[in-house]
Amino acid sequence: MRGVAVTASESGESRSNTAIEPGQQVSLVEGKTSVHFPSNANGKPLSLQFETSKSSRVDVAVAAAVAATARKLEPFGEQAFQGALVTKVRETPIHVHTIGAAGLELRDYRVSVTVNSNRKTEVFGIVTRHHETRGCYLFSIDWKASKVRLERWMGSDHMIVRQFEAPWLSSQHTLTMQVDGFRLQCSVDDEVVLHSFDGALGGGAPGVAWVGERPTIGDLLLESVAAPLASAALVQDGNRAHFHAATPVAPGHLHVLELALDRPHPWVVRSLAGCEPYLDQTWSAPTVLWGDWRNSLGSNTIGEVGVGGTLTCGLVLPDLPALRLHSALARVLLITPDGDSIVGVTPFVRVAF
């Protein structure tokens, strides 16, 4: 894969993050692990969650893509807007800086910034769709209350759309907020932490906001909306393995696990069904095995995609001398609920026999 994945090993209220470069091997903490991916030119790969043991080997894959193109914004420039958000309940003002009139026509976008707090900073967040008279959305982290919030401001009135406890907050985080029509998506360090639907504000300028002393922040970056992309991981313990995938398809779609060998020929353009568009012939690269309803290869190797587009397949690899020290590639084919056509695939991950 290309890009950087952040693996978060969670344990109670603490959280340790490890940045992983492509092709790099790192040691993980035993237990629950989450892997989050940055956005790229094609979209943003969905996060993965799985359990590991001391003997587990984990392979993670996303489709190759170049880095996303980001534009640096100037919320503190000469043309920027400077103001404050104040309510009757909360007297402490929220300082707001946006790019001003230059961003009022923006509607759907993705904006991110890295913040380093200090002791005099209570809250910091990203502002989207800001208009001086209409209001804005505010996605913020509150170090004082240890909370993450998504708020909607309309004049002096505001509503907390969603919030949750975040005892794992540290002094440095990268915040990202994406507004796409009615869809609001908020991320902390590439992990999507909040989803919501709200159509009160249709467009406006991006910016930053804080309570207390202004913290040290990096560049405010503007990107195009990132579509959700499939990702996959294989957790292997000896001859047993679990294939985990996160997909952008709706629940009810079918999935079929496939084991194949790497293509022994130059790259050939093919449809999602595996056929060459002009010849209507199947692939020449050998397919080793497909999952079946009898679960011959393992559990749930053919079934329905679950809520949120996630799925897990169990594999029991045959202990055959001729296969030892060899590898295969595993992925799932995503099929319409009526079984009529293949609509997507997950990236290949390695299976070691």
Side-chain angles (χ1 to χ4, degrees), residues 231-247:
S231 59
L234 187 85
V235 182
Q236 186 167 353
D237 292 275
N239 69 329
R240 294 183 178 270
H242 285 88
F243 179 93
H244 301 268
T247 70

Side-chain angles (χ1 to χ4, degrees), residues 282-296:
T282 58
W283 47 48
S284 58
T287 298
V288 179
L289 194 63
W290 277 306
D292 55 49
W293 292 109
R294 298 188 303 272
N295 289 325
S296 304

Side-chain angles (χ1 to χ4, degrees), residues 18 20-28 57-59 350:
T18 304
I20 308 174
E21 297 290 342
Q24 181 184 8
Q25 295 186 8
V26 298
S27 297
L28 299 179
R57 177 186 175 90
V58 182
D59 286 276
R350 176 181 55 177

Side-chain angles (χ1 to χ4, degrees), residues 5-303:
V6 177
T7 302
S9 300
E10 302 178 13
S11 176
E13 296 183 354
S14 63
R15 175 178 299 190
S16 58
N17 294 337
T18 304
I20 308 174
E21 297 290 342
Q24 181 184 8
Q25 295 186 8
V26 298
S27 297
L28 299 179
V29 178
E30 180 183 8
K32 182 184 296 184
T33 299
S34 302
V35 181
H36 313 290
F37 306 93
S39 60
N40 56 50
N42 295 336
K44 185 182 188 305
L46 296 166
S47 297
L48 295 165
Q49 293 184 346
F50 45 81
E51 295 276 347
T52 59
S53 64
K54 293 182 179 179
S55 59
S56 296
R57 177 186 175 90
V58 182
D59 286 276
V60 180
V62 296
V66 297
T69 302
R71 179 163 64 96
K72 180 181 176 180
L73 302 178
E74 297 292 344
F76 304 104
E78 295 181 358
Q79 305 299 323
F81 168 82
Q82 178 180 350
L85 303 174
V86 182
T87 65
K88 298 178 182 179
V89 178
R90 185 175 189 170
E91 298 181 357
T92 305
I94 301 178
H95 305 285
V96 174
H97 281 253
T98 73
I99 63 173
L104 294 182
E105 301 301 322
L106 295 175
R107 297 182 60 84
D108 300 332
Y109 52 84
R110 182 180 180 87
V111 61
S112 61
V113 67
T114 299
V115 58
N116 290 275
S117 71
N118 54 53
R119 294 182 179 179
K120 296 183 180 180
T121 303
E122 298 180 13
V123 178
F124 177 83
I126 288 179
V127 172
T128 58
R129 291 182 175 174
H130 177 272
H131 192 281
E132 188 174 354
T133 57
R134 292 197 297 264
C136 67
Y137 294 112
L138 172 62
F139 168 53
S140 63
I141 53 177
D142 187 335
W143 286 285
K144 186 175 182 180
S146 297
K147 290 184 178 181
V148 175
R149 298 190 187 93
L150 173 60
E151 304 175 41
R152 183 186 68 202
W153 290 76
M154 302 187 74
S156 60
D157 297 326
H158 91 291
M159 181 182 73
I160 297 177
V161 179
R162 292 193 64 185
Q163 71 173 349
F164 65 91
E165 299 287 340
W168 42 263
L169 288 175
S170 63
S171 59
Q172 179 177 324
H173 289 289
T174 298
L175 305 184
T176 304
M177 185 171 182
Q178 176 172 292
V179 286
D180 181 16
F182 289 177
R183 296 176 177 85
L184 310 180
Q185 184 186 86
C186 305
S187 304
V188 177
D189 298 331
D190 292 318
E191 177 186 2
V192 177
V193 294
L194 288 175
H195 279 286
S196 187
F197 287 86
D198 193 291
L201 303 172
V208 294
W210 66 91
V211 175
E213 187 177 293
R214 173 182 162 186
T216 302
I217 63 174
D219 294 334
L220 184 65
L221 301 177
L222 179 70
E223 302 176 19
S224 301
V225 171
L229 302 175
S231 59
L234 187 85
V235 182
Q236 186 167 353
D237 292 275
N239 69 329
R240 294 183 178 270
H242 285 88
F243 179 93
H244 301 268
T247 70
V249 301
H253 279 70
L254 301 176
H255 67 83
V256 178
L257 183 69
E258 175 190 76
L259 294 185
L261 299 181
D262 199 2
R263 48 185 167 81
H265 49 70
W267 177 255
V268 177
V269 178
R270 301 186 187 279
S271 67
L272 289 175
C275 299
E276 295 185 38
Y278 302 106
L279 302 178
D280 198 27
Q281 295 179 355
T282 58
W283 47 48
S284 58
T287 298
V288 179
L289 194 63
W290 277 306
D292 55 49
W293 292 109
R294 298 188 303 272
N295 289 325
S296 304
L297 184 60
S299 61
N300 200 39
T301 55
I302 180 171

